[in-house]
């Protein structure tokens, strides 16, 4: 009778240890997955710019996830830079981030927090669409197609 050589116990322990670590890592990896922010955008628009160099953008970011997300910036081929601005005591100022609450909304609107397009590469006209990429600290980027409306456009409703 021929005996098959046994694998030293050590390798079996290492293999078992590696399998245990892999199994234990699965629940940890799930913490950042489906339980994270789930983002979408509603009611996006840009009033037709009245300036050759500046424009504003408005929208609502909806988070249906269990964790907040942090809007940290934006970009567009339309402008040299796109920043998030907030209006405090009647003065506009850039901000580094804005939170989108878990199971909540962040509304960027005239007179409040909004997007500011600076150094326009062209001046979009009413009826055109501007592509904007929103960047988040806790989620992947979201691309938004923002229609250009009349300079005096005011949304007739907000979804709540």
């Amino acid at each position: 009778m021929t005996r098959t050589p046994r694998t030293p116990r050590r390798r079996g322990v290492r293999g078992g240890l590696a399998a245990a670590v892999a199994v234990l890592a699965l629940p940890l990896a799930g913490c950042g997955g489906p339980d994270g922010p789930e983002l979408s955008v509603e009611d996006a628009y840009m009033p037709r710019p009245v300036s050759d160099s500046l424009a504003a953008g408005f929208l609502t970011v909806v988070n249906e996830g269990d964790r907040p997300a942090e809007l940290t910036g934006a970009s567009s081929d339309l402008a040299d830079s796109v920043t998030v601005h907030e209006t405090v005591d009647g003065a506009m100022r850039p901000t580094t981030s804005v939170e989108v609450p878990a199971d909540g909304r962040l509304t960027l609107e005239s007179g409040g927090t909004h997007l500011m397009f600076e150094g326009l590469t062209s001046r979009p006209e009413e009826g055109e669409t501007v592509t904007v990429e929103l960047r988040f600290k806790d989620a992947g980027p979201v691309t938004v197609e923002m229609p250009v409306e009349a300079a005096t456009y005011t949304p007739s409703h907000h979804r709540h």
Side-chain angles (χ1 to χ4, degrees):
M1 176 150 95
T2 310
R3 284 186 115 164
T4 313
R6 277 181 80 156
T7 305
R9 182 170 171 85
R10 222 183 199 171
R11 286 188 189 164
V13 168
R14 280 188 189 155
L17 182 59
V21 168
V23 168
L24 291 174
L26 289 175
L28 294 176
C31 292
D35 296 327
E38 293 177 31
L39 305 173
S40 62
V41 174
E42 298 176 347
D43 304 325
Y45 74 98
M46 170 186 282
R48 183 181 52 79
V50 294
S51 162
D52 288 335
S53 61
L54 295 173
F58 309 109
L59 52 86
T60 299
V61 181
V62 179
N63 181 0
E64 295 180 349
D66 295 335
R67 287 188 311 157
E70 194 173 331
L71 175 63
T72 58
S75 61
S76 174
D77 290 341
L78 178 68
D80 292 336
S81 71
V82 181
T83 53
V84 180
H85 275 69
E86 58 186 2
T87 305
V88 177
D89 296 328
M92 268 193 326
R93 65 177 185 211
T95 184
T96 56
S97 67
V98 183
E99 185 177 284
V100 185
D103 196 29
R105 297 169 172 267
L106 168 65
T107 300
L108 304 184
E109 59 191 347
S110 181
T113 304
H114 59 279
L115 296 177
M116 199 70 192
F117 296 75
E118 300 174 79
L120 297 181
T121 56
S122 66
R123 192 168 166 187
E125 295 296 325
E126 186 176 340
E128 294 180 358
T129 301
V130 173
T131 302
V132 180
E133 182 181 87
L134 304 176
R135 290 186 303 279
F136 298 88
K137 178 180 177 186
D138 308 309
V142 175
T143 301
V144 180
E145 296 298 319
M146 186 175 282
V148 179
E149 302 288 352
T152 57
Y153 176 78
T154 303
S156 59
H157 69 281
H158 288 281
R159 296 179 193 172
H160 292 287

